[in-house]
Amino acid sequence: MSSRSEIGHAKNVANLQKLIQQISVYPLYNPPVRELTIDSLQNLYTTANSKLTEVEEKRNANKNAIALRQDAFKNLKTNCTRITNRLEILGLSQGTLNQAKSLNRTIQGTKKKPATTPEEGKEAPKIISSSRQSYTQQAENFGILIQLLETIPSYTPEEEELKLSTLNTYKQSLVTTTQSVDQTEAELNLKFIERNRILYAEGTGLYAIVQNVKKYVKSLYGATSPEYSNVAAIKFSMITE
C-alpha cells in the first residue's frame, strides 16, 4: 500500500470522530437505524482506529524482518566468490569446478560470459543480470553449493567463516530470516484485509455508514441547512488500493 493510501485511511478514521462530534450537538439527531447511533459510531471509530494500529504494528514487524534478512544476506555473494576462488587452486576436475562456478553465477545474479570474442568494431556483449532473483532461490543454491563442497575432501579452509560447519549454520540463518519475512508479510496482509473490511465493506463499512449519516442529517434539516453543510464538508474517501 502506498503512503498516500495509508494517510487516506487514517484521515477517514479521524474524520469519523469529527463527524461524531458534529452530530452529537444536533438535538434532532436520533436515527431509527442502530448503526447510525452515536454509540455505534463511536464503537466503529474505536474498532477502526484499533485496526490502523494493528496494521502499523505488523508493518513494523515486517520491516524489521526485512532488515534482518538483508543483514543476513549481505555477505552471501562475497563468501560464494571466496569459496569459488578457493576451489580454483585445489586441482579439481573441470566438471566440479564448472558446477561451483555456475552456482556462484546464479547466486551473484549473472549469466555466463560469452566464450567468443566480439567481432572487430562491435561492442562486447554485456553480462546479463538475473534481476528477479529471490532470497529463497539464493539460499537454495547456496545449500547446493555447500552439498558440493561436502564431496570435496581437499576443501579444508582455515578461515572460520568458510568452514563447512559455519556455512551450514549461515545457510540456516538465510532460510530462517526469509521465512520470517514471509510470515510477517502474511500477517500484515491479513491486517490489511481486516482494516479494509471495517472501513470499506459494502453496506457495513465506515465509508458506507458515514454516507448514511449524512443522508439522515440531510433528511432532518434539509439540503440547504447549515447543519447539513457542516457534515457534508467532512470528507471521506473510498480507497481501493
Side-chain angles (χ1 to χ4, degrees), residues 24-106:
S24 294
V25 301
Y26 290 167
L28 298 183
Y29 190 86
N30 185 27
V33 181
R34 183 178 59 83
E35 288 78 9
L36 305 187
T37 63
I38 300 298
D39 286 345
S40 292
L41 292 173
Q42 191 61 57
N43 288 336
L44 176 60
Y45 169 77
T46 300
T47 301
N49 202 48
S50 176
K51 289 302 174 185
L52 293 183
T53 299
E54 290 174 8
V55 165
E56 289 310 307
E57 289 173 348
K58 294 301 181 182
R59 192 197 307 279
N60 288 333
N62 183 240
K63 287 181 178 179
N64 290 337
I66 289 172
L68 290 174
R69 181 179 65 181
Q70 289 175 335
D71 187 61
F73 274 80
K74 68 180 179 181
N75 293 324
L76 174 62
K77 295 182 178 182
T78 299
N79 286 342
C80 288
T81 298
R82 292 177 66 191
I83 290 168
T84 305
N85 290 338
R86 175 64 63 94
L87 295 180
E88 287 184 334
I89 65 172
L90 297 182
L92 303 175
S93 69
Q94 193 60 47
T96 299
L97 191 56
N98 286 345
Q99 186 179 357
K101 287 183 176 180
S102 176
L103 287 167
N104 183 44
R105 281 194 299 271
T106 302

